[in-house]
Structure formats: structure tokens, C-alpha cells
């Protein structure tokens, strides 16, 4: 935490972007529950799919798809729909199931519980004059979560066309926030996407390390926090 403060970096910062999954809420149980909800729905409405595939087998199918079609790695929605089409084909259903099945999944995928300090800290940062954005490689929609009002702008890999760690997301964020890269701080949990991407793009990086994970060798960051509340002393708001 000290690094950013001591380097004088904080006073230059005018905007912050936040990763969503696993930064603002614990996403693993959300995805597991959403996949189970979809699987249960398929077992009732399209049982030949669940007779053929276990839930794990469907997950493995998606992982194979990303290896075969790397572009799908930037579009979780298209990845899930493509895998549903393949599953339908393989058991003789047509593609009519894809949209209603995806709707069941995406509804469940938005049943998240924000960490308690997320809203108060975002609101405090906004009050202090920082521009606030969200930036995700996933398909969570902040408007659907009732968080649209909190963010000045929201970027997804689907809307930008490529995800973190590609610098484009960060460049687009700077344009939205009307700041230069060194005036933007990005907060995220994933070293490979949030930290590496931010560093490549020349923005300040703040690692959300809630579980005390060891640092990735060779990857530096401007600050490390364990909760949203840790941002307040960092930005001298307490
Ligand atoms: Mg994340």
C-alpha cells in the first residue's frame, strides 16, 4: 500500500477502474450455482443433453472450444452459446434452446452478493471527485446488477472486442475518463489480466489480494490491498 503513496502517485490519479468478478464479489460460487441452475433447467426441458453430458463435461467442452477458437475467450456469452449449440447438435436438438437456456444462465449469473464495503467505498471515491469505471472480461452487466449509477462508464471485453490484459481496454477507459494512463488506477484481483494488462498500458495497478496469495514473480504493482476499505487510507479519504 505504501508504494503508491510514497511515489507520490496518488495525487496524480483522477480516475479508477474496477474489475468485477472476484474483486467486487466472490464469483466462484456464483458461476457454480449458475451452471447448476442451467444444468437443472436443461435436465427438465432438454434431457438428452444432460443424459449425454455431466456438468463437468459441459465445462470441459467450453475449455476445448476456447483452445480451438481463441476469440471466444474474449466473449463469454458467445462461448456459452456456442457450446450449447454444439451440445444440441450432438443429441439431435435444434438451436431453439440456445437463447432460453442462456437466459436462464445469465439470470442466475447475476445473483451476486457484493462485499459489504464495495458500495460505500465507491460512493466515497465518487464524492471525492474520482471518475469511476468498471472493466470486466466476463459477462456481468453492472446495470442488471443495479450498479449502473455507481459507475461513470462500464467496459466489457465483449463491447471493446478484446479483453485484459490487452492494453486496448485500458486505453478505452482513459478515453472515457478523459485522463492520461498515469492518471488512471486499475483495481483487480487477477495478476495475469488486471496487473499485467494495466502495467502494459502504463496505468497504475492496485492488486486486490483478498486471500493473501503470493506475488507472481517478476510482476510488480503500485499497491496491494485486501479489501475495498483499504483504498480509503491509500487515497487519504479517512
Ligand atoms: Mg476478477
Amino acid at each position: 500500500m505504501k508504494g503508491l503513496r510514497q511515489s507520490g502517485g496518488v495525487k496524480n490519479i483522477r480516475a479508477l477502474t474496477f474489475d468485477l468478478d472476484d474483486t467486487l464479489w466472490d464469483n466462484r460460487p456464483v458461476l457454480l450455482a449458475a451452471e447448476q441452475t442451467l444444468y437443472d433447467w436443461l435436465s427438465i426441458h432438454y434431457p438428452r443433453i444432460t443424459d449425454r453430458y455431466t456438468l463437468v463435461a459441459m465445462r470441459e467442452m467450453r475449455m476445448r472450444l476456447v483452445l480451438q477458437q481463441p476469440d471466444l475467450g474474449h466473449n463469454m456469452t458467445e462461448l456459452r452459446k456456442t457450446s450449447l449449440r454444439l451440445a444440441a447438435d450432438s443429441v439431435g436438438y435444434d438451436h431453439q434452446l440456445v437463447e432460453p437456456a442462456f437466459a436462464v444462465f445469465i439470470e442466475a449469473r447475476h445473483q451476486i452478493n457484493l462485499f459489504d464495503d464495495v458500495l460505500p467505498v465507491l460512493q466515497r471515491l465518487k464524492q471525492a471527485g474520482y471518475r469511476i469505471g468498471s472493466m470486466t472480461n466476463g459477462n456481468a452487466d453492472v446495470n442488471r446488477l443495479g450498479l449502473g449509477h455507481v459507475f461513470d462508464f462500464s467496459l466489457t471485453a465483449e463491447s471493446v472486442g478484446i479483453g485484459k490484459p490487452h492494453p486496448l481496454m485500458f486505453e478505452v477507459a482513459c478515453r472515457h475518463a478523459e485522463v492520461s494512463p498515469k492518471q488512471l488506477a486499475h483495481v483487480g484481483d487477477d495478476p495475469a489480466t488486471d496487473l499485467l494488462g494495466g502495467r502494459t498500458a502504463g496505468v497504475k495497478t492496485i492488486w486486490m489480494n483478498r486471500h493473501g496469495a503470493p506475488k507472481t514473480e517478476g510482476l510488480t504493482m503500485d499497491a496491494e490491498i485486501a479489501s475495498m476499505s483499504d483504498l480509503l487510507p491509500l487515497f487519504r479519504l479517512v
Side-chain angles (χ1 to χ4, degrees):
M1 221 160 77
K2 281 182 185 150
L4 193 59
R5 230 152 102 166
Q6 283 172 351
S7 68
V10 164
K11 72 175 188 312
N12 293 324
I13 291 171
R14 297 281 175 269
L16 291 102
T17 48
F18 291 85
D19 171 54
L20 296 177
D21 296 327
D22 294 313
T23 294
L24 302 189
W25 60 81
D26 188 4
N27 200 50
R28 186 178 152 76
V30 176
L31 278 187
L32 291 177
E35 287 176 1
Q36 186 67 54
T37 299
L38 170 58
Y39 194 81
D40 294 345
W41 184 88
L42 288 169
S43 74
I44 294 167
H45 299 280
Y46 296 94
R48 294 205 298 270
I49 291 181
T50 48
D51 288 347
R52 171 73 68 91
Y53 301 100
T54 63
L55 201 152
V56 171
M58 295 188 75
R59 198 173 295 147
E60 287 167 353
M61 185 197 293
R62 288 195 302 278
M63 287 160 73
R64 279 198 304 277
L65 259 175
V66 172
L67 291 177
Q68 290 159 2
Q69 301 180 52
D71 280 355
L72 289 175
H74 304 296
N75 191 329
M76 291 301 121
T77 296
E78 200 43 49
L79 173 61
R80 288 193 183 271
K81 288 182 179 178
T82 302
S83 70
L84 283 164
R85 277 193 288 274
L86 287 178
D89 288 345
S90 70
V91 294
Y93 289 130
D94 65 28
H95 293 175
Q96 275 183 12
L97 67 87
V98 172
E99 291 303 324
F102 183 74
V104 167
F105 169 81
I106 203 73
E107 171 64 23
R109 194 249 187 278
H110 284 82
Q111 304 304 312
I112 59 115
N113 291 306
L114 289 176
F115 292 115
D116 287 346
D117 53 0
V118 167
L119 278 180
V121 170
L122 289 177
Q123 275 155 359
R124 184 77 187 85
L125 288 164
K126 256 177 100 99
Q127 281 165 7
Y130 292 100
R131 303 270 289 168
I132 304 291
S134 70
M135 196 193 281
T136 182
N137 283 3
N139 50 16
D141 176 349
V142 294
N143 295 309
R144 193 163 180 160
L145 293 171
L147 296 174
H149 66 289
V150 180
F151 294 103
D152 296 305
F153 59 94
S154 294
L155 304 179
T156 66
E158 290 175 27
S159 65
V160 172
I162 193 161
K164 301 168 283 188
H166 195 282
L168 185 60
M169 279 263 245
F170 299 90
E171 290 163 19
V172 173
C174 287
R175 281 208 293 277
H176 278 280
E178 299 177 340
V179 297
S180 67
K182 65 177 186 299
Q183 293 174 315
L184 179 78
H186 176 68
V187 182
D189 69 291
D190 189 340
T193 55
D194 295 304
L195 299 183
L196 182 62
R199 185 140 283 263
T200 306
V203 311
K204 302 288 184 193
T205 52
I206 300 176
W207 188 23
M208 178 64 83
N209 184 11
R210 291 183 182 275
H211 308 294
K215 284 192 172 66
T216 306
E217 204 170 325
L219 185 61
T220 55
M221 67 230 40
D222 295 289
E224 178 181 337
I225 57 177
S227 71
M228 287 290 281
S229 301
D230 284 347
L231 286 171
L232 298 180
L234 191 59
F235 286 87
R236 299 192 174 91
L237 294 174
V238 284

